[in-house]
Amino acid sequence: MSSTEPPEARIVAAVPPARSVRVGAGEKLRTASLPGLTMTVRCRPPATSGLPPALFVHGLGGSSQNWSALMELLADRVEGEALDLPGFGDSPPPDDGNYSITAHARAVIRYLDAQDRGPVHLVGNSMGGAIATRVAAVRPDLVRTLTLVSPALPELRPQRTAVPTGLLAVPGVTRLFTRMTRDWDAERRTREVMFLTFGDPSLVSREDFAYAVEEFERRLALPYFWDALSRSARGVVDSYTLGGQHSLWRQAERVLAPTLLVYGGRDQLVSLRMAQRANATFRDSRLLTLLDAGHVAMMEYPEAVARGMRELLDGVEERDDRDSRKARGAVPASGADGSGAARG
């Protein structure tokens, strides 16, 4: 099934969660309601007014909480917002039951259009990286820069450690998995996820682990949890099979926005070997490799990712300033003297 075609919709009760979602110091939650779609938005008010907007998009099984540390570190540079994609975090399922990459990208585009926030500094992790790539390709007017942390771009030979996650896309597998793991409590489920996604899970503090367990318990109580997870996994796998203009690699070639690519040396879900291919595919890209990071570098090493993003933003601002001065005739032509040479 093509990810451009909506899967058969299923009606799943969207009951309010029994527990409230965690809101960090300095953060606020609000609800964005669109026809057929409701999303929770995690906001961090900027340190000063007039900062450019940024939007953060989580990966499969994640939520807007995945970006809290990074948004805090960048509060002096951007006005950050992070989405809970439909069916994840604190957002109910979409009315049409469509969890394809295209549907998620459409939700991001609709939100940005409705809020009139573009162009934004768009940031995505894993599945969110694939979503952000598609948004940047089809709506370049909405994206000022693009930052991708371990983006889920198609791999012909995925790592063996990534295969179990891909199997979630197979109909019936989640039902089998839930039966096989019915004796697992939220603590064990959380630990297994961290072993898969973190480069070194032992570095997670007791407090953060306790928060993660509490959040897992909250999500497991939602009647649509496994449905949203399996259908989104199917959407990721489905996007790998698309060719032509809908291919994610073809769309990556079309991205105009300056792009930062972040890859982890211990990533068990996205192979490090894809970093060079991605760096060669995105036309205006820079590569940041964190050898000790796993799949969620923005959670493991937020300071390093923040530095990379600051350098990206600095480069864009310098380029904009140079182009503006050149347009006003304030920059000597290259070669006129040594001081007028433009940097690439």
Side-chain angles (χ1 to χ4, degrees):
M1 183 186 349
S2 166
S3 69
T4 59
E5 300 172 358
E8 181 182 356
R10 288 182 59 190
I11 299 175
V12 181
V15 299
R19 303 181 183 181
S20 59
V21 70
R22 180 188 180 191
V23 182
E27 294 182 337
K28 297 180 180 179
L29 295 184
R30 63 180 179 83
T31 299
S33 297
L34 301 167
L37 197 66
T38 300
M39 288 185 289
T40 296
V41 184
R42 185 176 299 267
C43 314
R44 175 166 284 279
T48 59
S49 61
L51 295 181
L55 186 69
F56 300 80
V57 185
H58 64 79
L60 182 67
S63 75
S64 60
Q65 294 183 59
N66 296 165
W67 301 106
S68 290
L70 184 60
M71 285 203 299
E72 182 177 4
L73 291 172
L74 294 172
D76 63 329
R77 293 298 301 269
V78 299
E79 183 180 350
E81 291 186 346
L83 293 177
D84 281 336
L85 292 169
F88 292 92
D90 211 33
S91 296
D95 286 359
D96 62 2
N98 190 343
Y99 290 99
S100 66
I101 294 297
T102 297
H104 283 311
R106 190 180 302 121
V108 172
I109 290 171
R110 290 179 60 197
Y111 172 74
L112 290 174
D113 279 339
Q115 299 295 314
D116 194 25
R117 277 179 60 83
V120 299
H121 297 293
L122 186 61
V123 187
N125 167 238
S126 190
M127 179 183 76
I131 294 166
T133 297
R134 184 151 292 178
V135 172
V138 302
R139 288 293 303 274
D141 59 305
L142 293 178
V143 182
R144 185 68 190 91
T145 67
L146 182 65
T147 298
L148 304 176
V149 182
S150 295
L153 299 175
E155 295 186 54
L156 294 179
R157 293 181 296 110
Q159 300 180 97
R160 285 180 296 177
T161 47
V163 171
T165 303
L167 288 175
L168 289 174
V170 178
V173 167
T174 53
R175 190 177 300 110
L176 175 62
F177 179 75
T178 53
R179 284 204 302 267
M180 292 175 60
T181 62
R182 62 179 176 269
D183 295 331
W184 291 14
D185 58 14
E187 181 172 332
R188 178 173 179 182
R189 293 180 189 276
T190 303
R191 202 177 303 281
E192 294 292 335
V193 170
M194 286 188 171
F195 274 123
L196 185 63
T197 56
F198 281 69
D200 185 357
S202 67
L203 298 179
V204 179
S205 69
R206 290 184 178 181
E207 181 183 24
D208 286 340
F209 181 75
Y211 278 130
V213 171
E214 182 179 335
E215 174 62 11
F216 214 133
E217 289 177 335
R218 187 190 71 83
R219 293 195 207 178
L220 285 171
L222 299 172
Y224 52 82
F225 172 80
W226 289 110
D227 188 65
L229 190 67
S230 61
R231 284 173 170 259
S232 290
R234 197 174 311 161
V236 173
V237 173
D238 207 23
S239 71
Y240 284 18
T241 67
L242 296 179
Q245 64 179 345
H246 298 296
S247 162
L248 281 170
W249 284 114
R250 181 71 62 83
Q251 293 192 325
E253 294 174 349
R254 293 166 50 191
V255 172
L256 301 176
T259 302
L260 171 65
L261 301 165
V262 183
Y263 282 82
R266 296 184 178 181
D267 195 332
Q268 298 184 67
L269 296 175
V270 172
S271 173
L272 183 60
R273 66 173 179 264
M274 303 305 294
Q276 292 301 329
R277 178 179 180 182
N279 198 33
T281 301
F282 288 89
R283 63 179 70 189
D284 184 5
S285 66
R286 57 182 70 192
L287 176 61
L288 173 60
T289 302
L290 302 175
L291 295 180
D292 292 328
H295 192 60
V296 286
M298 73 286 185
M299 299 175 68
E300 298 177 86
Y301 299 97
E303 294 86 359
V305 177
R307 282 196 299 270
M309 285 193 64
R310 287 177 182 276
E311 292 173 1
L312 175 68
L313 300 181
D314 288 342
V316 169
E317 290 173 1
E318 290 174 5
R319 185 184 306 180
D320 288 347
D321 182 60
R322 187 168 61 244
D323 290 345
S324 177
R325 288 186 290 117
K326 188 180 296 183
R328 298 195 308 267
V331 177
S334 179
D337 59 33
S339 63
R343 290 182 297 171

